[in-house]
Amino acid sequence: MNGGNFKMKKILSLALVLMLAVTMFTGCGSKPAADEQKPNEEAGLTGKVVIAGSTSVQPLSDELAAAFKEKYPEVSVEVQGGGSSVGVKSAIDKIVDIGASSRELKEDEKAVGLKEYVIAKDGIAVAVNPSNSVEDLTMEQIKKIFTGEITNWKEIGGADKPIVVVTREEGSGTRGAFIEITKVEGKDADGNTKDFTTSTALVQPSTGAVKQTVANTPDAIGYVSMGALDNTVKTVKVEGVEATEENAKAGSFKISRPFIYLTNGEESEVVKAFIEFVMNEGQEIVKEEYISIK
């Protein structure tokens, strides 16, 4: 009996050791499993975000939406155009989750109580050849150059040379912003919005092509997004203010504008998550072509 008891005790001890080992192994393994749940919980966010408004903001919204969907595959982000006024009105009427505007709100629009998120700044520098002696231009002079009313550099303090205007192709977001801000875009006799860029302008398909043309043409003038500037061209001041990101952020450089998201009332969880993404991680996307708010 004593030998049997000894064997039984040995078996029970061995079983206890095995149980403890299994418990410890399971317990240790549970911690990384809990950690692994975090990205799964993020990926589990569902819902839909509808954005409408500024066609200038639209391409950036498309990129931000695509990046957000990579992080949250179950979320749908629908981006529509229509213009800034449509974006503001759609937010006021609550027919979209987010209205997009590429201009400051008017006083009556602000009075409604919309929540504003400035997601980026768009700054566009006026660029000339480094050999050009002109240092500063007014907004009116810029408008007249690009509409063809001023055709010689001597009219604005430069050499007696014909001005070579360089512009982007139609449909370019940079062109759209530039002509709108500088009033090169206006109303025709029938009241329709029209681009009055001079027909003699050299049209280029990219920012790089504009820079190269201006750099290689002594009497050229063009416009370049601030994020793409380099020392191959010279920027002129606009009404005494240098074309820098700092001045664009401060609002003192006139050929700049905010990109704004607008919400009205309580935001859903998915809308909050999207805006938080845009204001933080999304700024890496913003600064590729625009001025980040960070």
Side-chain angles (χ1 to χ4, degrees):
M1 289 292 292
N2 289 340
N5 288 338
F6 176 76
K7 286 182 181 179
M8 183 60 72
K9 287 180 180 178
K10 193 171 182 180
I11 291 169
L12 289 171
S13 296
L14 182 59
L16 183 60
V17 169
L18 287 171
M19 287 176 63
L20 287 170
V22 170
T23 302
M24 290 176 67
F25 177 80
T26 306
C28 292
S30 65
K31 289 184 179 178
D35 292 340
E36 288 170 5
Q37 287 179 358
K38 289 183 180 178
N40 291 335
E41 288 170 2
E42 284 188 346
L45 183 69
T46 61
K48 184 176 182 180
V49 181
V50 179
I51 306 170
S54 169
T55 53
S56 295
V57 180
Q58 190 174 359
L60 177 58
S61 291
D62 283 332
E63 291 186 46
L64 292 167
F68 187 71
K69 190 166 179 61
E70 283 185 18
K71 186 174 182 180
Y72 301 102
E74 299 302 315
V75 172
S76 169
V77 183
E78 183 181 320
V79 181
Q80 305 167 2
S84 293
S85 294
V86 168
V88 175
K89 189 172 190 312
S90 295
I92 291 173
D93 294 342
K94 297 185 178 182
I95 60 176
V96 296
D97 299 299
I98 300 173
S101 175
S102 55
R103 62 167 173 79
E104 298 283 0
L105 267 61
K106 300 170 185 175
E107 288 305 315
D108 59 326
E109 294 169 339
K110 284 182 176 289
V112 176
L114 297 175
K115 191 167 185 180
E116 300 180 41
Y117 298 91
V118 177
I119 65 166
K121 287 274 190 173
D122 186 21
I124 303 170
V126 176
V128 297
N129 186 275
S131 65
N132 198 313
S133 63
V134 173
E135 301 286 339
D136 197 347
L137 292 170
T138 66
M139 291 288 280
E140 185 66 17
Q141 287 171 332
I142 292 167
K143 173 186 174 182
K144 287 182 176 181
I145 289 170
F146 281 86
T147 57
E149 293 180 63
I150 294 176
T151 59
N152 195 298
W153 285 108
K154 70 178 182 180
E155 298 177 63
I156 47 177
D160 185 5
K161 296 287 183 65
I163 297 173
V164 179
V165 174
V166 185
T167 189
R168 287 289 303 277
E169 78 284 7
E170 289 186 20
S172 160
T174 306
R175 175 171 174 161
F178 181 80
I179 65 172
E180 181 183 342
I181 296 169
T182 59
K183 308 300 182 186
V184 173
E185 174 186 274
K187 301 289 185 182
D188 63 15
D190 298 322
N192 301 313
T193 300
K194 183 179 177 181
D195 181 343
F196 289 101
T197 300
T198 176
S199 60
T200 62
L202 300 179
V203 180
Q204 299 297 339
S206 68
T207 293
V210 171
K211 283 194 299 180
Q212 185 175 11
T213 302
V214 173
N216 295 333
T217 310
D219 303 313
I221 184 170
Y223 48 85
V224 179
S225 290
M226 287 183 180
L229 285 173
D230 57 35
N231 60 9
T232 62
V233 295
K234 167 185 162 182
T235 60
V236 297
K237 294 178 182 178
V238 176
E239 301 193 350
V241 180
E242 292 184 3
T244 66
E245 290 192 2
E246 290 73 20
N247 288 337
K249 282 183 180 181
S252 57
F253 183 75
K254 290 196 173 183
I255 311 180
S256 63
R257 58 185 179 168
F259 282 0
I260 307 172
Y261 277 170
L262 306 163
T263 62
N264 190 2
E266 187 175 351
E267 299 161 358
S268 68
E269 288 305 310
V270 68
V271 169
K272 285 179 183 177
F274 178 71
I275 291 176
E276 184 177 352
F277 172 83
V278 170
M279 302 298 283
N280 293 284
E281 296 168 65
Q283 291 302 305
E284 291 299 312
I285 295 170
V286 167
K287 69 183 182 182
E288 289 176 10
E289 294 185 44
Y290 303 99
I291 300 169
S292 170
I293 58 169
K294 293 292 186 181

